[in-house]
């Protein structure tokens, strides 16, 4: 039976998935993964911080918050030319999507106008475009869409019942409002969260349940493993059991069968075997290139070799939600 696209997951159901024996969970996730995706294709995105540091928010994980002494220097928005050079290099290295991040709480309209110019230029290189700039108003989302922005990344970060432990300068509803503006403008959403921030398993279930019960599943779901940065309040948090991370990927795959699930931040501290397990659990996207925003990522050669060893290939064309992997007939989209 083909997995249905559901938006009515209960916390209990999600917790029961987390509690399955590891092999049963992976088997279920792999089965669903193959119904909706080519199991050997991985979408490849490259990230660039186009405006680094100096952020007024207090996200407890983030090296770019001005209030934490993390050694990240605040910089101005990059020029169109400088971003384009990085985008071209990402394309030449094999990325299909270019994601631009800015350490803003919310951009001003004049910032959006500048980013719109950058987006148009990156898009003209033939790359898919993604941006993550903080909270957006409806008109700002429309401007970015008109400039050619394909995806907007805005994470809910954690379960509603853990959110207050991590962020105090904006609430969950602000995030949901931005996601609504992005969808209304006709852009695809990239929305996920971070695990390993000291939350309980029930709260990891709460994060994934909240994502799956959004009005539409995000087309892209980044699952980040906390990158612990000295100076942030979450530095020193007890490390998450690696198998619990794999379980989080598998449950995300089961709850959002058609979405692309990204094995996102945290790969630099994962060995190849753990990453292979994440792909087996249903992850089918990575960030590619030596840097995330301010922290490190595996080097390109290492990732190429890993793809080779696992028989993975870069996903050529963006996965269009709603399409089902070719050899499956009669998709049962609920
Ligand atoms: N400032 C904008 C915002 O917060 O919406 C956009 C950039 S922000 C850095 C994008 C996302 O990166 C955050 O929502 C968070 O999920 C992720 N992130 C930031 N720091 C991280 C860390 N140390 N480990 C894992 N993920 C992190
Ligand atoms: C997402 O979910 N993860 C990316 C992207 N969206 C923008 C960011 C990860 C940042 C990791 C910490 C850093 O490099 O500053
Ligand atoms: Fe600022 Fe975004 Fe970092 Fe929060 S996650 S401190 S909003 S850059």
């Amino acid at each position: 039976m083909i997995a249905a696209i559901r938006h009515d997951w209960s916390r209990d159901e999600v917790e029961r998935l987390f509690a399955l024996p590891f092999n049963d969970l992976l088997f279920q996730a792999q089965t669903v993964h193959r119904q909706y995706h080519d199991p050997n294709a991985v979408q490849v995105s490259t990230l660039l911080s186009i405006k680094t540091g100096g952020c007024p928010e207090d996200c407890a994980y983030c090296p770019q918050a001005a209030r934490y002494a993390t050694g990240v220097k605040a910089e101005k928005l990059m020029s169109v030319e400088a971003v384009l050079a990085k985008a071209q290099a990402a394309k030449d290295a094999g990325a299909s999507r270019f994601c631009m991040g800015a350490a803003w709480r919310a951009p001003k309209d004049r910032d959006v106008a500048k980013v719109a110019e950058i987006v148009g230029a990156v898009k003209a290189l033939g790359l898919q475009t993604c941006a993550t700039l903080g909270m957006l108003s409806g008109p700002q989302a429309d401007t970015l869409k008109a400039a050619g922005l394909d995806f907007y990344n805005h994470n809910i970060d954690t379960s509603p019942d853990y959110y207050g432990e991590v962020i105090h300068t904006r609430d969950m509803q602000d995030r949901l409002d931005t996601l609504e503006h992005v969808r209304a403008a006709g852009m695809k959403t990239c929305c996920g969260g971070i695990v390993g921030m000291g939350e309980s398993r029930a709260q990891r279930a709460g994060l994934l349940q909240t994502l799956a019960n959004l009005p539409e599943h995000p087309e892209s779901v980044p699952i980040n493993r906390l990158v612990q940065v000295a100076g942030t309040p979450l530095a020193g948090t007890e490390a998450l059991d690696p198998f619990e991370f794999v379980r989080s990927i598998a449950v995300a795959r089961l709850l959002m069968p058609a979405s692309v699930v990204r094995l996102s931040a945290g790969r630099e501290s994962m060995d190849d075997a753990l990453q292979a397990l994440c792909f087996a659990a249903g992850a089918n996207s990575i960030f590619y290139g030596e840097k995330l925003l301010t922290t490190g990522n595996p080097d390109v050669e290492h990732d190429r070799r890993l793809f080779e060893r696992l028989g993975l290939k870069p996903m050529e064309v963006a996965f269009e939600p709603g399409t089902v992997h070719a050899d499956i007939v009669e998709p049962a989209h609920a």
Side-chain angles (χ1 to χ4, degrees):
M1 208 175 69
I2 301 215
I5 304 292
R6 292 177 46 196
H7 299 270
D8 60 352
W9 294 93
S10 70
R11 174 80 79 107
D12 193 48
E13 270 181 297
V14 181
E15 286 186 39
R16 275 191 272 124
L17 291 174
F18 263 100
L20 283 170
F22 189 74
N23 286 334
D24 290 345
L25 176 59
L26 253 66
F27 179 73
Q28 281 196 29
Q30 179 69 207
T31 304
V32 167
H33 188 64
R34 283 166 181 267
Q35 293 174 351
Y36 283 86
H37 304 275
D38 176 343
N40 302 308
V42 173
Q43 191 278 329
V44 172
S45 292
T46 292
L47 252 183
L48 175 68
S49 180
I50 59 170
K51 195 269 158 215
T52 303
C55 183
E57 300 281 270
D58 77 343
C59 312
Y61 48 77
C62 187
Q64 303 199 70
R67 66 190 73 203
Y68 311 135
T70 62
V72 170
K73 263 200 352 246
E75 286 166 22
K76 288 209 190 89
L77 179 63
M78 287 171 70
S79 68
V80 183
E81 296 70 33
V83 177
L84 265 189
K86 295 283 191 182
Q88 183 65 55
K91 187 179 176 196
D92 295 344
S96 61
R97 190 179 308 162
F98 194 63
C99 306
M100 296 160 273
W104 286 316
R105 166 181 165 78
K108 300 187 176 70
D109 286 348
R110 65 167 188 272
D111 299 323
V112 170
K114 287 188 204 152
V115 174
E117 199 189 328
I118 293 174
V119 166
V122 171
K123 179 109 173 153
L125 295 179
L127 283 160
Q128 289 190 325
T129 54
C130 177
T132 179
L133 317 170
M135 294 183 283
L136 287 188
S137 67
Q140 289 179 330
D142 292 338
T143 302
L144 292 168
K145 167 71 182 169
L149 191 62
D150 299 306
F151 287 81
Y152 195 77
N153 166 246
H154 200 64
N155 292 337
I156 61 167
D157 279 346
T158 191
S159 183
D161 57 329
Y162 195 62
Y163 188 93
E165 300 290 319
V166 181
I167 301 147
H168 312 93
T169 48
R170 82 175 80 157
D171 58 31
M172 179 73 87
Q173 190 55 49
D174 294 323
R175 292 176 187 262
L176 299 176
D177 291 348
T178 291
L179 290 167
E180 193 47 54
H181 296 147
V182 169
R183 270 192 300 271
M187 287 184 283
K188 296 181 174 122
T189 57
C190 171
C191 181
I194 309 176
V195 296
M197 296 198 292
E199 74 286 341
S200 63
R201 173 181 272 184
Q203 288 163 332
R204 281 186 285 282
L207 162 67
L208 299 178
Q209 178 203 14
T210 307
L211 291 169
N213 290 346
L214 287 169
E216 283 173 43
H217 291 172
E219 282 81 359
S220 171
V221 179
I223 305 294
N224 297 279
R225 186 168 82 167
L226 175 69
V227 178
Q228 298 203 13
V229 179
T232 60
L234 289 181
T237 305
E238 195 187 335
L240 187 69
D241 174 0
F243 297 133
E244 188 66 14
F245 184 76
V246 180
R247 283 179 184 276
S248 306
I249 298 267
V251 174
R253 166 52 63 227
L254 287 170
L255 301 193
M256 295 166 280
S259 301
V260 168
V261 173
R262 183 173 304 122
L263 168 54
S264 193
R267 282 199 307 121
E268 201 184 26
S269 60
M270 292 179 197
D271 64 17
D272 292 343
L274 176 57
Q275 294 185 57
L277 269 180
C278 292
F279 294 127
N284 58 348
S285 170
I286 57 163
F287 283 126
Y288 175 69
E290 275 79 15
K291 212 167 169 200
L292 292 168
L293 291 173
T294 65
T295 64
N297 199 40
D299 66 61
V300 160
E301 262 324 303
H302 190 100
D303 279 343
R304 283 200 187 127
R305 180 85 193 101
L306 180 62
F307 272 39
E308 232 174 72
R309 287 163 71 207
L310 299 178
L312 297 174
K313 54 182 185 273
M315 207 184 275
E316 293 289 339
V317 189
F319 179 76
E320 284 301 327
T323 48
V324 168
H325 188 222
D327 48 10
I328 305 289
V329 280
E330 299 201 352
H333 284 225

